[in-house]
Amino acid sequence: MLDVTVPHGNGGKMALTVPCVAVRGSIGISLGQGPPSYEPVKSFPKDDSKTCKAMTFSPEGSYFAWINGMTVKILHCDTWKIITEIKRPKISAIQFSPQGTYFMTWEPFIATQSNPQGTPNLYIWKSESGELMKSLVQKKQSDWEPQWSSDEKICGILTGADVILYEDVNFEKIVHRINVAKVAKFSISPTNSPYYILCYMPGKAGQPSFGRLFQYPKFESTQALANKSFFQADRVNVYWNNIGTNALLMTSTEVDKTGASYYGKQTLHYLSTKGETAMVMLSKEGPIHAVQWSPKNTEFCVVYGFMPAKATLFNLKCEAVFEFGALHRNSIYYNPQGNILILTGFGNLRGGIELWDMGKRKLIAKTEAPDTTHLQWSPDGEHFMTATTAPRLRMGNGFKIWHYTGTLLYERPWNEQEELWEVLWQTFPASTFPEKPISYKAVEGIAPSQPQASKQVYRPPSARGGNITFKLHDDEEFGIKKTDANQSKNAKKTKKKTNKAKKESDGSTPSQSTNGQVTTSSKSQTLTANVPEYDELERNKKIKGIKKKLEQISKLKEQLEAGKQLEINQVDKIKKEGDLLKELEELTL
């Protein structure tokens, strides 16, 4: 944390808290000031190691820690002085407890013939002193983190199919154990007493799975505050609101058996500590891309459906209260104060960013950040950062800092010999930055050094070189539908039916042009390109082949998580997942 002295209106001076930005990459770890200075933090002990695997701030902002391949270093954010060093070179994942008092580390689990049980690989330390509090075996890296209540009185760890619970950091005694059924995932509410724990209990073949919400320490099935049963769930994600009174449970299947979507099938369920349950009804078919609670705790936003995806705001009764329209988007980011919402589309989408005033339900600004792999709000709620990081993208690495009016304020590109792996804003206690009134007037900024990415429609390699009419923007912009003028090769047989349906659906009048193309008299924006129509059978064949490869990769990843040694060609196959997903997305758009 940096306190910058600025002139005050009464002639005096006041200290302004400026969040810093931590940067991790192939040239080590460094720290810089956020807006307005962006200067390096000279008191930070820069680490030039090329093997910094991870870094994190403690949730309330007291500490910063990182792994450099040899040791873990913890420093105090008030002074940027190193206070603790843990010399265990195999540590590969780290996390702090909610108040930063305790620090947890995870190492890959290793079992040998002479020691089939393996040695402990999960450790809990005191942040301030490095004193070891507990060590135990946690084989999988997924969901390895012990969970804590906000006041750190309760600590829970998933071991096998049981949740074991400790009180008051006494790790010598297991106080409670949740084992009424096999538990695959659990989540402690982000609250102080009374404490709530949500458990996902997968069903056996032909039997339903359950989401069960318990009040600590009543863990019998009959004592559950809320029960939600569902079929078809290979995994679940749990989303609590900040005050721990309401939770959303998103269930997912790995593969949609109907073949409608590679993403599998998702459903969203609601549970409250009052015992209320509901299924969130979504008005468009397709995957659930993102779910996020408002920091104001009474609303949540969901992005869902085949592209262009819808975004809807729901209240605590799971009623839709506002529609953001349909666009190519897959991510939701509320600022910490909850008064501004970002909706955006990253990954295979083109990076359009919408900034919404949540009080007025009004669009503040739009901008674009193509090739973004990471977005994070500053704790001040006025600035956000976008980054392009490796290994997801190895070209064009760097990060940018923006103002909520869509203005670019700062950018730091990396040269091609270096890689950027991660960028993080410094954290602070929730009360540090109060909510400020929103201004719609853009602040002064800079022009981006890189040209914007091309918005040309994707055409598969085998579909380049002939004639077809493509639609450029296939979006319902904030509820205003743009009609589709695209026609396929197979429309020759069903042209009359298609034209009739088109007439009924959007009121446009199809007409035959001189070169045999079908156009419409609607206001849709179209792009005519010299490409042949892409054969539908060939496209479906490719999609089927990619899905098969992705299923194989999914099984290989499970084997890898279970500790199985994979062959080199199997590891190479896993590395191709990102490219396959991108190709599939482009084929299905």
Side-chain angles (χ1 to χ4, degrees):
M1 177 179 72
L2 292 178
D3 287 333
V4 179
T5 304
V6 296
H8 196 253
N10 59 11
K13 293 190 176 181
M14 61 177 285
L16 179 70
T17 301
V18 177
C20 295
V21 177
V23 178
R24 179 174 69 88
S26 58
I27 53 172
I29 286 185
S30 58
L31 197 75
Q33 296 177 34
S37 78
Y38 312 102
E39 293 294 319
V41 177
K42 293 188 174 68
S43 53
F44 179 79
K46 190 175 183 296
D47 191 327
D48 295 323
S49 167
K50 296 189 186 319
T51 53
C52 292
K53 294 180 193 171
M55 64 179 180
T56 187
F57 286 96
S58 60
E60 79 332 322
S62 295
Y63 305 103
F64 176 69
W66 73 93
I67 310 167
N68 68 7
M70 295 301 293
T71 67
V72 174
K73 295 179 179 180
I74 303 175
L75 49 74
H76 209 285
C77 294
D78 281 347
T79 59
W80 303 119
K81 296 278 193 302
I82 294 169
I83 54 167
T84 302
E85 202 163 341
I86 300 167
K87 295 183 179 179
R88 294 191 66 89
K90 290 183 180 176
I91 290 173
S92 57
I94 53 178
Q95 191 180 49
F96 284 97
S97 60
Q99 295 186 6
T101 318
Y102 305 100
F103 182 68
M104 298 155 286
T105 64
W106 184 90
E107 304 170 11
F109 175 73
I110 297 170
T112 60
Q113 284 186 333
S114 58
N115 182 17
Q117 299 301 311
T119 52
N121 63 323
L122 167 58
Y123 297 89
I124 301 175
W125 319 78
K126 268 194 177 172
S127 304
E128 196 74 33
S129 63
E131 177 191 348
L132 180 62
M133 305 294 292
K134 178 69 176 175
S135 61
L136 56 138
V137 168
Q138 186 67 287
K139 293 182 182 179
K140 288 187 179 180
Q141 187 170 358
S142 58
D143 297 326
W144 71 270
E145 303 93 336
Q147 294 205 29
W148 301 76
S149 58
S150 294
D151 57 9
E152 300 182 343
K153 298 278 187 189
I154 307 294
C155 179
I157 299 171
L158 186 64
T159 59
D162 295 0
V163 178
I164 55 173
L165 294 153
Y166 302 97
E167 286 183 359
D168 299 318
V169 207
N170 177 7
F171 293 108
E172 301 304 312
K173 181 186 176 187
I174 297 172
V175 181
H176 298 286
R177 186 183 290 265
I178 304 176
N179 59 1
V180 289
K182 180 182 176 183
V183 179
K185 193 181 186 91
F186 80 106
S187 180
I188 298 178
S189 63
T191 51
N192 297 338
S193 182
Y195 311 108
Y196 300 98
I197 300 179
L198 182 55
C199 294
Y200 160 53
M201 298 165 171
K204 296 173 184 172
Q207 298 294 313
S209 300
F210 281 95
R212 289 201 167 111
L213 181 60
F214 299 102
Q215 182 173 328
Y216 184 89
K218 300 172 183 176
F219 300 124
E220 292 300 320
S221 295
T222 54
Q223 296 175 308
L225 295 177
N227 278 293
K228 201 80 183 69
S229 64
F230 40 85
F231 286 91
Q232 296 182 319
D234 296 317
R235 66 183 187 278
V236 301
N237 290 342
V238 178
Y239 305 88
W240 287 97
N241 64 356
N242 285 351
I243 52 175
T245 54
N246 304 272
L248 294 164
L249 193 70
M250 186 171 80
T251 68
S252 306
T253 57
E254 296 293 347
V255 178
D256 184 355
K257 290 176 183 174
T258 66
S261 170
Y262 160 71
Y263 298 98
K265 193 169 182 180
Q266 291 91 14
T267 53
L268 194 60
H269 304 274
Y270 166 88
L271 302 93
S272 83
T273 53
K274 293 179 181 175
E276 300 156 337
T277 63
M279 183 171 171
V280 182
M281 304 307 291
L282 304 175
S283 60
K284 186 169 186 177
E285 285 292 317
I288 298 174
H289 304 284
V291 178
Q292 197 77 46
W293 278 98
S294 163
K296 295 184 183 294
N297 302 304
T298 57
E299 297 175 333
F300 60 92
C301 184
V302 186
V303 172
Y304 59 96
F306 296 116
M307 292 297 162
K310 287 190 79 171
T312 305
L313 197 65
F314 294 89
N315 63 15
L316 293 181
K317 294 179 181 176
C318 299
E319 298 166 337
V321 292
F322 185 74
E323 295 283 355
F324 295 92
L327 282 173
H328 283 83
R329 50 159 91 97
N330 55 19
S331 306
I332 304 165
Y333 302 92
Y334 278 96
N335 72 344
Q337 293 74 14
N339 63 329
I340 303 175
L341 171 70
I342 285 177
L343 293 174
T344 182
F346 294 144
N348 302 324
L349 304 180
R350 50 182 179 251
I353 294 174
E354 313 149 53
L355 293 121
W356 288 83
D357 178 338
M358 294 310 293
K360 295 179 179 175
R361 308 274 198 260
K362 188 177 172 185
L363 187 71
I364 303 167
K366 291 173 69 179
T367 186
E368 285 196 357
D371 299 332
T372 295
T373 57
H374 174 70
L375 184 150
Q376 188 187 11
W377 276 100
S378 164
D380 67 16
E382 295 184 67
H383 303 92
F384 64 95
M385 165 254 295
T386 61
T388 301
T389 58
R392 181 73 186 271
L393 287 173
R394 297 191 186 276
M395 298 292 288
N397 281 191
F399 71 92
K400 299 174 181 178
I401 294 175
W402 308 73
H403 186 259
Y404 70 78
T405 51
T407 304
L408 179 63
L409 300 176
Y410 173 80
E411 67 174 347
R412 161 75 165 87
W414 256 237
N415 68 45
E416 289 182 12
Q417 286 72 45
E418 300 166 1
E419 288 185 351
L420 173 64
W421 298 334
E422 190 179 12
V423 192
L424 285 178
W425 284 103
Q426 181 186 357
T427 53
F428 290 87
S431 59
T432 308
F433 298 96
E435 182 180 324
K436 292 182 181 177
I438 293 171
S439 166
Y440 285 69
K441 187 179 178 183
V443 299
E444 208 170 313
I446 62 169
S449 61
Q450 296 296 319
Q452 293 286 4
S454 167
K455 293 182 183 177
Q456 208 165 357
V457 174
Y458 170 78
R459 296 184 296 280
S462 58
R464 294 168 188 165
N467 282 327
I468 197 169
T469 302
F470 271 97
K471 185 169 55 147
L472 181 61
H473 293 301
D474 151 13
D475 296 340
E476 294 173 45
E477 185 123 10
F478 317 130
I480 303 166
K481 188 172 182 181
K482 294 189 177 180
T483 54
D484 189 348
N486 185 29
Q487 294 287 332
S488 73
K489 177 182 178 182
N490 297 331
K492 288 177 183 177
K493 292 179 184 177
T494 57
K495 193 181 297 176
K496 287 181 183 177
K497 290 181 184 176
T498 308
N499 292 350
K500 186 180 176 185
K502 201 121 191 76
K503 202 168 183 179
E504 289 171 358
S505 66
D506 64 16
S508 63
T509 308
S511 62
Q512 189 78 12
S513 66
T514 53
N515 63 358
Q517 293 173 335
V518 178
T519 59
T520 72
S521 58
S522 68
K523 293 182 181 177
S524 63
Q525 188 175 3
T526 59
L527 172 70
T528 303
N530 292 322
V531 291
E533 288 95 342
Y534 193 36
D535 190 276
E536 194 70 18
L537 288 173
E538 183 67 24
R539 190 174 72 90
N540 288 337
K541 189 177 174 184
K542 280 196 172 188
I543 289 172
K544 195 173 179 182
I546 294 171
K547 284 182 179 179
K548 189 174 180 182
K549 289 177 185 175
L550 288 165
E551 280 186 54
Q552 293 168 349
I553 288 170
S554 181
K555 287 174 184 172
L556 288 172
K557 285 166 79 177
E558 285 176 15
Q559 292 172 11
L560 190 64
E561 278 191 5
K564 184 178 176 183
Q565 187 76 31
L566 298 182
E567 302 291 334
I568 293 172
N569 63 330
Q570 291 175 316
V571 174
D572 287 341
K573 189 179 276 190
I574 290 174
K575 288 178 183 175
K576 292 175 183 173
E577 184 180 31
D579 292 336
L580 289 169
L581 282 169
K582 187 172 182 181
E583 189 178 349
L584 186 74
E585 180 85 16
E586 288 167 341
L587 283 168
T588 53
L589 274 180

